[in-house]
Amino acid sequence: MSASPASALDAHIKVGLGGFDLDINLTVAAGQVVALLGPNGAGKTTALRALAGLRPLSGGHIRLQGDTLDDPDGNVFTPPEKRPIGVVFQDYLLFPHLSALDNVAFGPRRHGMAKAEARALAARWLDRMGLAEFVGRKPRHLSGGQAQRVALARALAVNPALLLLDEPLAALDARTRVDTRAELHHHLHDHPGATLIVTHDPLDAMMLADHLVVIEDGAIVQQGDAQTVTARPRTDYIARLVGLNLYQGTATATAVALPGGFILTTAQTHSGQVFVAFPPAAVSLHQNRPEGSPRNTWQATITGVHRHGDNLRIQLGGPLTTAADITPAAAAQLHLTPGQQIWAAVKATETHAYPAE
Amino acid sequence: MNGHRTGIEGGLALKISRLLAATVAAGVMLLAGCANETPSAPATSAAGVTGNVTVFAASSLTEAFKKIGTEFAAANPGAKVTFNFAGSSALATQINQGAPADVFASAAPANMKTVTDAGNAEGTPAVFVKNQLVIAVPKGNPKGIKGLSDLTKPGLKVALCAEQVPCGAAAKKALDAAKVTLTPVTLEQDVKQALSKVSLGEVDAALVYRTDAKVPTANVDGIEFPESAGAINDYPIVVLKNAPNKTAAQAFLAYVQSDKGLAVLTTAGFQKP
Amino acid sequence: MTSDTSIGTASRRVRSRRHGRSRIPLALLIPAVIGLAFLVMPLAGLLIRTPWATLPQRLAEPGILTALGLSLQTATLATVLCILFGVPLAWLLARAEFPGRRLVRALVTVPLVLPPVVGGVALLLVFGRRGLIGSWLDATFGITLPFTTAGVVLAEAFVAMPFLVIAVEGALRGADSRYEEAAATLGATRWATFTRVTLPLVAPGIAAGAVLCWARALGEFGATITFAGNFPGRTQTMPLAVYLALETDLQAAIVLSLILLTVSVAILAALRDKWIASP
């Protein structure tokens, strides 16, 4: 039993899903913000629902501040209304028939607080969120950002030991998102309890959380702080999220043999299983085989051309599946069309190799 | 109407003269029909009777008319009888609103009058049977009811027909004649509803027609009482003016009034006129 | 929520547009107009045949007001009964998982397909003097329901309840059950969730169902006359009075129908502004 305040949440979540099982270990310390990051369908929301008691575990356990909330083997299940957990849902689920104030006062009222007291508490929370003038508004008259803050206030008003946020910024437009993210960071920082954010957006995860847990197909594939995870992605998913081409192979000195037989030359010396990563901007494209400095060159087929910021992102097939970023000017010169054969090159010094353990 | 002809009355007179003409025509046809199909020589001589006869008949005639219909169709191959059984007043309304009926058999002269007044009857209606009231009680007469005065016993639940319908009017007449004042628990919309309340045991007695009490499925006993003689109900029948199949209609009417038809009706509890 | 608002503004925009009307496709407009005519023509027929001159004196007849009062009173009581029992039933059908739920849902609609007169007979077989429950009620408490005003309420509730249950169940299915989950995470018990969240969310559905239920109860004839009989002041509601008036006096029947129509339409219109329009 890990009752130490250092790990407010100690969970081993096992839930059978359609195609695969969700099976992850999560610990979150009081005051810590952890992001559960993963592609759609990885099981993030299921994990959140299991923690909130909205979905039963098939195995494992959930302990919060030393209390066992869930233990299917020991026949322990705590219904959601009995858990000291607050949830901010993806689309907030503010009660449409209640004003912002009554939405926030709803939790304290259900926990037995007198009406006047609960409303005063709710007013203080809304004031803290900068929503003092919106207390009387119904949710349908709130903007997305305001609704998000009301939802946060509502979840925090019950003083939860664990705060869960499901894609807290997904419902917002790009502009509101930037402002709200900064504010959310501030409020989460102030929350004395543990916080778990579920998101598929790496930017949200990195900006809001102290610790990232990446899951794919129901299992944890990588965890650590933002810097570690982005610098050394261990799966294609993370590599794509952070905008890197990623390959795994067997290193002999500076040569890394990939499963298909292709050999990548790197700057560092390694041996055994390694990851090799390089950004799409490091890839150059040529009509003819390029000559010169030590580089990796191969003939590729263009499978797709997309806009990517100011540049074009070229998807390449062939011995390596690669993304390359080039300027529109370069693209015009090369007359790029899907299906076209082209030479790709990456300097060894622009690759980054690290052990795969 | 004697000579004072305003414009409106003129129209009315025109209508009446048309009606007269129609009646005369009907009379001729009726005579012709009688000549052809005397009750003593039915069926065989009605070789010309074909097609469908639509008969609108009071619901109290249901069982008897169904039987007559079967017999009539058997006697006249090629002819078929379709019935519409309902309350006489509903039938009268339907006929006056243009329902395609050949024959109307009413349980009360009042409803027949509605039809004749509207000029929808062909000829004069004939009373073909009479019906009278009995006290319907559950089989075995558990409350030992012997006459109308027994119906006022405290705690006894009685159903009557509403005064607006023939059986209710007859009941009022009978009760008045017997100088019996009783408070029913319900005033039913038709005699079958009143009867079913007895069948279901919801009331202890109801005033219904003798014919209704005789229906075996009703599972009731009919208690005769002398005052019912003062409230006998006449059943008139008529061929309708807009009958689609007048020949067959006349034949059916004749069959109902024949010995065979009356035999079926009296077995059902009706009295000869 | 956001989608609600966008729909609201979208429809407002269309309404404010001048050329909105020409955009209704004929393929919808023509059947819609025919449908409306079909519904309204019989009413027009009644109005045309109304003997307006004798209307005031008919209204003054005491029997009519008694029947009207009884109709309004019993239909309202029946609606209250339907809400008390129908809303929980609808909740059960919409939210609870139990074996045979589909069968239960089918059974709920039985009064809809059952001819009302048969419904009345069925009620007699259960609540009648010799009925399954009725005989026990009679023997134990001396209560008999047939031929009483309570019997009218019962008969009306029987035929009207499916309208409420179906409307409320539809509203519950349409309502996002995740609001209930949100309430649970805020510490609300199932009962608190039901009363504080679910009920307010489906209030428009309940109001719509109650209106349908009330209207059906008000027009109820077959089950009432079969189960409760017909006695002025006690069980004779307006439809029964209309039917009996039809036996002798078509014009009286028309007047009675018109009164029933006017009163019910007035009440529904008044309620509609209060309840149905604004959720």
Side-chain angles (χ1 to χ4, degrees):
Chain A
M1 183 77 76
S2 45
S4 74
S7 65
L9 173 70
D10 163 27
H12 177 200
I13 301 168
K14 280 176 83 169
V15 180
L17 294 171
F20 55 91
D21 287 347
L22 175 70
D23 188 347
I24 57 172
N25 282 296
L26 277 177
T27 53
V28 186
Q32 192 189 18
V33 180
V34 170
L36 193 59
L37 182 67
N40 288 329
K44 306 182 301 283
T45 298
T46 306
L48 179 137
R49 290 175 60 80
L51 287 170
L54 299 172
R55 178 154 191 165
L57 292 186
S58 55
H61 63 261
I62 294 171
R63 294 192 196 105
L64 191 58
Q65 294 179 316
D67 296 328
T68 300
L69 300 182
D70 256 320
D71 180 7
D73 298 331
N75 247 336
V76 178
F77 177 77
T78 311
E81 63 267 23
K82 294 267 182 352
R83 298 181 183 217
I85 292 177
V87 186
V88 176
F89 291 90
Q90 182 172 352
D91 37 7
Y92 318 136
L93 299 178
L94 295 178
F95 304 127
H97 59 287
L98 297 180
S99 66
L101 187 76
D102 287 331
N103 260 284
V104 179
F106 186 91
R109 285 285 287 143
R110 301 286 87 73
H111 284 89
M113 196 181 275
K115 190 168 185 176
E117 208 181 326
R119 298 189 102 211
L121 177 71
R124 281 200 299 279
W125 269 108
L126 288 172
D127 189 32
R128 239 171 110 175
M129 298 286 165
L131 293 169
E133 55 197 301
F134 300 106
V135 289
R137 288 221 186 157
K138 290 279 173 69
R140 63 173 171 277
H141 296 126
L142 293 171
S143 73
Q146 290 162 352
Q148 202 267 354
R149 282 179 280 162
V150 174
L152 182 63
R154 185 175 71 170
L156 287 171
V158 292
N159 196 21
L162 172 65
L163 176 66
L164 300 171
L165 299 102
D166 190 3
E167 306 279 2
L169 303 167
L172 302 175
D173 59 67
R175 255 195 69 182
T176 320
R177 215 170 161 148
V178 175
D179 299 339
T180 312
R181 191 187 286 131
E183 260 181 69
L184 185 59
H185 180 256
H186 166 71
H187 291 301
L188 295 183
H189 195 75
D190 288 349
H191 176 51
T195 303
L196 181 76
I197 301 172
V198 157
T199 182
H200 71 278
D201 185 326
L203 202 55
D204 289 350
M206 287 172 214
M207 304 234 354
L208 296 171
D210 314 316
H211 185 82
L212 306 190
V213 176
V214 186
I215 64 168
E216 279 180 59
D217 295 338
I220 294 176
V221 290
Q222 191 170 4
Q223 54 183 313
D225 59 34
Q227 220 168 357
T228 318
V229 172
T230 52
R232 300 188 158 196
R234 306 191 75 82
T235 71
D236 276 344
Y237 165 68
I238 308 168
R240 262 202 319 281
L241 284 182
V242 299
L244 290 175
N245 290 303
L246 181 72
Y247 308 96
Q248 189 175 5
T250 314
T252 316
T254 58
V256 177
L258 304 188
F262 191 83
I263 297 190
L264 269 173
T265 308
T266 66
Q268 297 103 328
T269 303
H270 287 283
S271 69
Q273 286 290 308
V274 293
F275 284 113
V276 181
F278 53 85
V283 183
S284 58
L285 300 180
H286 309 270
Q287 287 288 22
N288 302 306
R289 184 178 189 131
E291 309 288 332
S293 59
R295 54 174 75 199
N296 298 291
T297 55
W298 69 95
Q299 196 167 24
T301 311
I302 295 175
T303 55
V305 179
H306 313 280
R307 272 199 82 81
H308 186 74
D310 290 338
N311 293 328
L312 289 178
R313 174 156 291 181
I314 315 299
Q315 299 294 336
L316 300 173
L320 292 180
T321 304
T322 313
D325 283 355
I326 62 167
T327 61
Q333 206 180 343
L334 290 164
H335 304 293
L336 297 176
T337 48
Q340 188 186 337
Q341 294 280 316
I342 200 151
W343 284 91
V346 176
K347 287 180 187 166
T349 50
E350 299 212 50
T351 67
H352 175 47
Y354 48 95
E357 285 147 348
Chain B
M1 207 163 296
N2 295 332
H4 297 284
R5 287 194 172 178
T6 63
I8 296 165
E9 278 183 354
L12 191 60
L14 192 68
K15 266 190 192 164
I16 288 168
S17 64
R18 274 192 194 148
L19 185 65
L20 275 174
T23 315
V24 170
V28 170
M29 283 179 75
L30 195 65
L31 283 173
C34 285
N36 267 345
E37 309 161 65
T38 48
S40 51
T44 44
S45 58
V49 177
T50 52
N52 190 31
V53 196
T54 306
V55 178
F56 279 30
S59 39
S60 48
L61 291 165
T62 307
E63 290 79 13
F65 263 34
K66 273 186 182 162
K67 195 147 183 266
I68 289 176
T70 316
E71 287 183 8
F72 177 77
N76 298 281
K80 198 173 146 272
V81 191
T82 311
F83 290 107
N84 175 20
F85 294 111
S88 300
S89 61
L91 293 173
T93 308
Q94 289 168 9
I95 289 164
N96 285 343
Q97 297 298 326
D102 292 300
V103 177
F104 176 39
S106 169
N111 304 118
M112 181 57 83
K113 193 167 175 292
T114 318
V115 172
T116 49
D117 285 355
N120 287 321
E122 180 116 6
T124 315
V127 173
F128 66 107
V129 280
K130 290 169 184 283
N131 208 351
Q132 73 182 57
L133 294 177
V134 295
I135 304 168
V137 294
K139 209 83 183 161
N141 195 3
K143 302 269 174 175
I145 290 159
K146 293 187 185 68
L148 278 186
S149 54
D150 291 340
L151 298 183
T152 56
K153 281 185 194 166
L156 203 76
K157 290 189 175 179
V158 181
L160 297 181
C161 292
E163 277 178 36
Q164 292 91 331
V165 294
C167 61
K172 187 181 183 322
K173 238 195 256 178
L175 287 166
D176 287 350
K179 294 197 172 64
V180 169
T181 315
L182 70 87
T183 311
V185 291
T186 178
L187 298 166
E188 294 293 323
Q189 59 174 337
D190 68 41
V191 65
K192 296 284 181 194
Q193 284 274 2
L195 185 69
S196 74
K197 295 292 192 292
V198 181
S199 305
L200 286 163
E202 291 305 329
V203 296
D204 302 303
L207 291 187
V208 301
Y209 293 122
R210 178 200 274 157
T211 50
D212 298 304
K214 274 204 169 187
V215 176
T217 49
N219 205 27
V220 299
D221 283 340
I223 312 288
E224 304 272 351
F225 59 97
E227 296 87 349
S228 70
I232 286 177
N233 226 33
D234 290 339
Y235 278 56
I237 189 166
V238 81
V239 170
L240 295 167
K241 197 176 155 197
N242 295 321
N245 190 355
K246 252 172 220 175
T247 325
Q250 301 288 3
F252 179 80
L253 196 141
Y255 192 93
V256 168
Q257 292 179 291
S258 73
D259 291 344
K260 287 188 177 182
L262 284 174
V264 173
L265 288 160
T266 48
T267 311
F270 289 103
Q271 293 158 301
K272 289 181 187 173
Chain C
M1 255 315 82
T2 38
S3 69
D4 272 2
T5 335
S6 66
I7 289 166
T9 45
S11 63
R12 231 171 285 137
R13 214 176 299 137
V14 168
R15 233 176 287 141
S16 65
R17 218 176 264 161
R18 283 271 152 158
H19 304 288
R21 185 166 294 186
S22 65
R23 296 191 177 200
I24 300 171
L26 277 183
L28 288 178
L29 187 65
I30 292 169
V33 168
I34 292 172
L36 180 67
F38 176 63
L39 291 177
V40 172
M41 293 286 274
L43 178 65
L46 274 181
L47 288 174
I48 289 166
R49 293 290 296 273
T50 303
W52 297 103
T54 57
L55 197 61
Q57 111 200 24
R58 296 249 191 227
L59 270 171
E61 283 170 32
I64 289 184
L65 288 179
T66 311
L68 183 63
L70 189 71
S71 269
L72 295 176
Q73 181 195 335
T74 53
T76 307
L77 281 172
T79 307
V80 170
L81 215 61
C82 287
I83 290 174
L84 281 181
F85 296 98
V87 172
L89 177 56
W91 184 86
L92 213 65
L93 288 173
R95 289 283 191 270
E97 288 288 341
F98 58 90
R101 187 170 63 167
R102 294 163 74 115
L103 181 70
V104 172
R105 183 177 300 126
L107 288 176
V108 164
T109 57
V110 161
L112 286 182
V113 289
L114 208 62
V117 175
V118 180
V121 172
L123 283 173
L124 280 176
L125 295 176
V126 176
F127 296 107
R129 204 153 61 148
R130 293 186 191 164
L132 298 170
I133 296 171
S135 55
W136 174 77
L137 280 177
D138 194 9
T140 318
F141 305 103
I143 297 173
T144 54
L145 289 168
F147 315 121
T148 63
T149 307
V152 178
V153 174
L154 213 65
E156 291 180 347
F158 177 73
V159 292
M161 189 133 115
F163 289 88
L164 183 104
V165 173
I166 289 169
V168 175
E169 196 205 337
L172 280 167
R173 290 189 172 278
D176 196 337
S177 66
R178 294 178 313 146
Y179 285 113
E180 294 166 13
E181 293 184 346
T185 66
L186 292 165
T189 58
R190 286 202 106 171
W191 175 247
T193 302
F194 177 72
T195 55
R196 306 275 168 175
V197 176
T198 315
L199 277 187
L201 279 179
V202 300
I206 295 176
V211 163
L212 271 180
C213 178
W214 187 79
R216 178 69 187 86
L218 197 67
E220 215 308 300
F221 171 74
T224 308
I225 199 160
T226 308
F227 180 63
N230 168 57
F231 198 83
R234 195 165 61 217
T235 63
Q236 191 185 72
T237 56
M238 281 298 267
L240 271 58
V242 170
Y243 187 89
L244 282 169
L246 212 51
E247 294 286 335
T248 48
D249 186 350
L250 181 65
Q251 292 201 331
I254 290 173
V255 170
L256 288 178
S257 309
L258 206 67
I259 293 167
L260 185 62
L261 267 173
T262 312
V263 171
S264 52
V265 166
I267 290 175
L268 289 180
L271 283 179
R272 195 185 167 80
D273 288 343
K274 253 201 177 128
W275 290 99
I276 302 177
S278 59

